[in-house]
């Protein structure tokens, strides 16, 4: 973060709000000419601060109406078994996010599917087929109160 000045942070704030902004639009909004804005943007990208440019979809408008968080406990915790679980989860398209946790559970999965029947099929046919799972506890999202992808800089 030490390599970013106020102008770099403004560029990042703008892009977090609208990744479709082109260099000319960013330059106009931050009060710089196009070339230095472009150079700053390339520096930020080269540093790996910007991972990717994406389009965020509305889940309900594409039929993904059920979101669940699955707390997963494993039976055994050797490194090869942890990696095997993680590799398997990476191939499950319903899993939007996966976190390795410290605490009562080993992993937290964010799962998004069409409906409860789809969730049941995901659990029984996909998640349960992964070796070494001891327990799965599911919590279902009733209402999303806050959702952001923007970091405070």
């Amino acid at each position: 973060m030490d390599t970013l000045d106020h102008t770099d942070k403004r560029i990042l704030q703008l892009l977090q709000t609208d990744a479709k902004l082109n260099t000319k639009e960013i330059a106009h909004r931050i009060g710089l000419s196009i070339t230095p804005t472009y150079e700053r943007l390339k520096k930020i990208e080269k540093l790996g601060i910007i991972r990717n440019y994406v389009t965020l979809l509305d889940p309900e408008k594409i039929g993904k109406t059920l979101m669940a968080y699955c707390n997963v406990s494993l039976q055994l915790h050797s490194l090869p078994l942890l990696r095997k679980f993680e590799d398997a989860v990476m191939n499950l398209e319903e899993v939007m996010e996966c976190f390795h946790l410290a605490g009562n559970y080993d992993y937290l999965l964010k799962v998004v599917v069409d409906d409860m029947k789809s969730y049941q099929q995901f659990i029984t046919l996909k998640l349960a087929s992964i070796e070494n799972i001891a327990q799965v506890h599911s919590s279902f999202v009733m209402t999303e109160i806050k959702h952001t992808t923007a970091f405070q800089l």
Side-chain angles (χ1 to χ4, degrees):
M1 221 24 205
D2 295 337
T3 59
L4 298 178
D5 64 15
H6 177 72
T7 303
D8 294 330
K9 290 177 184 178
R10 288 186 61 210
I11 291 170
L12 290 171
Q13 288 171 329
L14 287 169
L15 287 172
Q16 286 187 102
T17 304
D18 184 358
K20 286 177 52 175
L21 291 174
N22 62 39
T23 306
K24 182 179 178 182
E25 292 168 321
I26 295 168
H28 175 72
R29 291 186 189 190
I30 64 172
L32 281 181
S33 62
I34 295 171
T35 301
T37 301
Y38 176 81
E39 290 170 357
R40 284 175 176 270
L41 190 52
K42 288 302 160 195
K43 176 191 80 169
I44 292 167
E45 290 173 348
K46 185 177 179 183
L47 290 170
I49 294 167
I50 295 175
R51 285 190 200 168
N52 208 351
Y53 295 91
V54 300
T55 299
L56 301 175
L57 305 180
D58 183 323
E60 290 199 14
K61 290 183 179 174
I62 59 167
K64 304 296 180 188
T65 61
L66 184 69
M67 183 186 310
Y69 286 89
C70 299
N71 291 294
V72 178
S73 297
L74 301 181
Q75 294 172 359
L76 303 170
H77 297 89
S78 69
L79 186 57
L81 291 173
L82 294 175
R83 295 290 177 246
K84 193 172 185 178
F85 174 81
E86 292 170 6
D87 289 344
V89 166
M90 291 295 291
N91 293 314
L92 299 175
E93 63 187 26
E94 297 88 349
V95 176
M96 302 296 290
E97 299 176 37
C98 176
F99 302 96
H100 188 190
L101 305 176
N104 294 333
Y105 300 100
D106 297 312
Y107 291 92
L108 176 65
L109 310 179
K110 178 182 175 182
V111 178
V112 180
V113 293
D114 294 350
D115 52 27
M116 186 58 79
K117 182 176 180 178
S118 299
Y119 186 76
Q120 187 226 357
Q121 290 173 343
F122 164 76
I123 291 293
T124 57
L125 301 176
K126 294 184 179 182
L127 193 61
S129 70
I130 299 173
E131 294 179 47
N132 196 36
I133 292 179
Q135 294 180 350
V136 176
H137 293 271
S138 300
S139 298
F140 298 97
V141 174
M142 295 184 347
T143 306
E144 185 176 81
I145 308 303
K146 179 180 179 180
H147 177 86
T148 185
T149 60
F151 290 100
Q152 183 66 34
L153 300 175

